[in-house]
Amino acid sequence: MVRRANDSKVVKSGFVVPPCRGRRELVSVVDSGAGFTVTRLSAYQVTNLTPGTKYYISYRVQKGMSTESSPETPMSTLPRRNMESIGLGMARTGGMVVITVLLSVAMFLLVVGLIIALALGAHK
């Protein structure tokens, strides 16, 4: 259940809990050590949230006639940013260009040397 801060409207999202063993791509290891492993099931997401808004999230688990609820946890969505303000993490730097050029020249010289060695070896 998701409730926007200062709002009484609750958005409910229901799903059936899968068996304890989830698919590998849905399970990520959070912490591991001393005979125990903590995992996170990444299969569910809450949709239609407003950017830059504070929400209170709680869980209600129902099995048969028994129901248990968690306390509300405050969370907030990140504000939207312009696409132009996001930095490019994979941009080419000057150093990458220099290394690429040096490696290309070295490969060219290696191929030329191989051809010369083959030509001189076949000439004798």
Side-chain angles (χ1 to χ4, degrees):
M1 295 182 285
V2 179
R3 180 178 63 85
R4 185 181 290 186
N6 302 324
D7 194 357
S8 61
K9 182 182 174 190
V10 175
V11 177
K12 294 182 180 182
S13 177
F15 55 88
V16 176
V17 178
C20 291
R21 177 131 175 103
R23 296 188 326 216
R24 285 184 184 249
E25 64 268 12
L26 300 179
V27 177
S28 59
V29 175
V30 177
D31 188 16
S32 180
F36 69 91
T37 302
V38 178
T39 58
R40 177 182 300 137
L41 183 61
S42 307
Y44 304 104
Q45 68 181 23
V46 180
T47 57
N48 299 326
L49 299 179
T50 307
T53 306
K54 185 174 183 178
Y55 291 94
Y56 291 97
I57 297 176
S58 64
Y59 298 95
R60 185 177 68 193
V61 178
Q62 183 176 355
K63 183 175 182 181
M65 298 303 290
S66 176
T67 302
E68 290 190 33
S69 297
S70 70
E72 286 187 333
T73 304
M75 295 185 181
S76 58
T77 56
L78 297 174
R80 276 199 184 136
R81 297 191 321 185
N82 288 337
M83 185 176 70
E84 292 81 21
S85 69
I86 299 174
L88 297 175
M90 293 298 292
R92 288 191 174 94
T93 63
M96 289 174 66
V97 173
V98 170
I99 290 172
T100 303
V101 169
L102 290 175
L103 289 173
S104 299
V105 169
M107 182 60 75
F108 175 75
L109 292 175
L110 183 66
V111 170
V112 168
L114 180 65
I115 292 172
I116 290 173
L118 289 174
L120 290 177
H123 183 45
K124 286 186 176 183

